[in-house]
Amino acid sequence: MTTAVESLRADLASLLGEAGVVADAVACKAFAVDGRVPGCVLYPSTREQVAATLGYAAEHDLAVIPSGSATKLATGNPPRRYDLALSLKKLSQVHHYEPADLTITVEAGMTLGDFERHVGRDGLWLPLDPRGGSSASIGGILAANAAGPLRLRFGAPRDMVLGMKIATTEGKIVKTGGRVVKNVAGYDFGKLLVGSQGTLGVIVEASFKLFPLPQERVTFALRAGTLGIARELRRSILNSPLEPLRMVLLNAPAAALVRTGTPGSASNREPELWLEAGGSKRVIERSARDLGELARATGAPLSRWEAGQAAPLWQRVADFHGWLGQAYAA
């Protein structure tokens, strides 16, 4: 080990503690991006440590790539340089939670799954279905503005954020927005940060507005003869009183792959239109009745799946390229 490398790791350990600096080859390779492997992986445990690390990296001209659960490291252009991997896994605490006000503040390393379990006990949720699913980190979701089919009804992560705290390369913590729905006067700096892929600063904390969980959720699938018919069905639904939580149009090969989860086993030769309805039993049955009439009018067979049966299918849709790549690799 060279003196320069020893000095670098000693400096980083003084900021994060010995346990916060990992230089093991296997650990570093797990954070590789497009073949580039960092020299070490850093695990700050506070937002102040994140800011101090970024300040040190900027002062010493070190290239840093932040991550939470590493579910989106493959997105974007290949990095020109990559010296340090900055993992926010240890930042996973809830700092503020008011179920009655539908607001919450959490650290960026918390996974979406842990987040949903925490607020789900009070009948609430954050309606996001991004790539990486429940294992995706809150910070990573915001940095990528990652959204799936639920965006149809609820919008993207950018629309749900009330405020954030960001660590900058100056070694500072910058606050934008707040904890209530109406809290911004003038330019909303937070909107710029969401979707910036960590290039403008590292999100270390975020406040969200929450939504009530639907009492029931049911998925309906309409099997159309051609893509043209499927598109007309989709247009008819969007122009109807129906308000689906999410909807997706799948061509024949994609529909078969998502249904089976196994490449090469596709037998379906028709495109499909899937939509999820949510709400009271009365809303669900009204949706079933309206879709049934539409199906009979167009000759499209209608299937119905309960929430538990449909959940893994929707996750495959939201993370299509991710799970399909793993399936082919296996």
Coordinates of all heavy atoms in Angstrom, one line a residue, residues 4 22 99 112 129 148 217 237:
A4 N 0.5 7.4 0.0 CA -0.6 8.3 -0.4 C -2.0 7.6 -0.1 O -2.9 8.3 0.5 CB -0.5 8.7 -1.8
V22 N -14.2 1.1 4.3 CA -14.0 -0.3 3.9 C -13.2 -0.4 2.6 O -13.7 0.2 1.6 CB -15.3 -1.1 3.7 CG1 -15.1 -2.5 3.3 CG2 -16.1 -1.0 5.0
P99 N -48.9 11.2 11.7 CA -49.9 10.5 10.8 C -51.2 11.4 10.6 O -51.7 11.4 9.5 CB -50.3 9.3 11.7 CG -49.1 9.1 12.5 CD -48.6 10.4 12.9
L112 N -37.6 1.8 0.8 CA -39.0 2.0 0.6 C -39.8 0.9 1.3 O -40.9 1.3 1.9 CB -39.3 1.9 -0.9 CG -40.8 2.2 -1.3 CD1 -41.2 3.5 -0.9 CD2 -41.0 2.0 -2.8
D129 N -43.8 3.0 -7.0 CA -43.4 1.6 -7.4 C -42.2 1.7 -8.3 O -42.3 1.4 -9.5 CB -44.5 0.9 -8.0 CG -45.2 1.7 -9.1 OD1 -44.9 2.8 -9.3 OD2 -46.1 1.1 -9.8
G148 N -42.9 4.4 -11.2 CA -43.5 3.3 -12.0 C -44.9 3.6 -12.4 O -45.3 4.8 -12.5
R217 N -57.7 -3.2 -3.2 CA -57.0 -3.0 -4.5 C -57.2 -4.3 -5.3 O -57.0 -5.4 -4.9 CB -55.5 -2.7 -4.3 CG -55.3 -1.4 -3.6 CD -53.9 -1.3 -3.1 NE -52.9 -1.1 -4.2 CZ -51.6 -1.0 -3.9 NH1 -51.1 -1.0 -2.7 NH2 -50.8 -0.8 -5.0
I237 N -60.7 4.2 -21.5 CA -60.7 4.2 -20.0 C -60.2 5.5 -19.5 O -60.8 6.1 -18.5 CB -59.7 3.1 -19.5 CG1 -60.3 1.7 -19.8 CG2 -59.4 3.2 -18.1 CD1 -59.4 0.5 -19.6

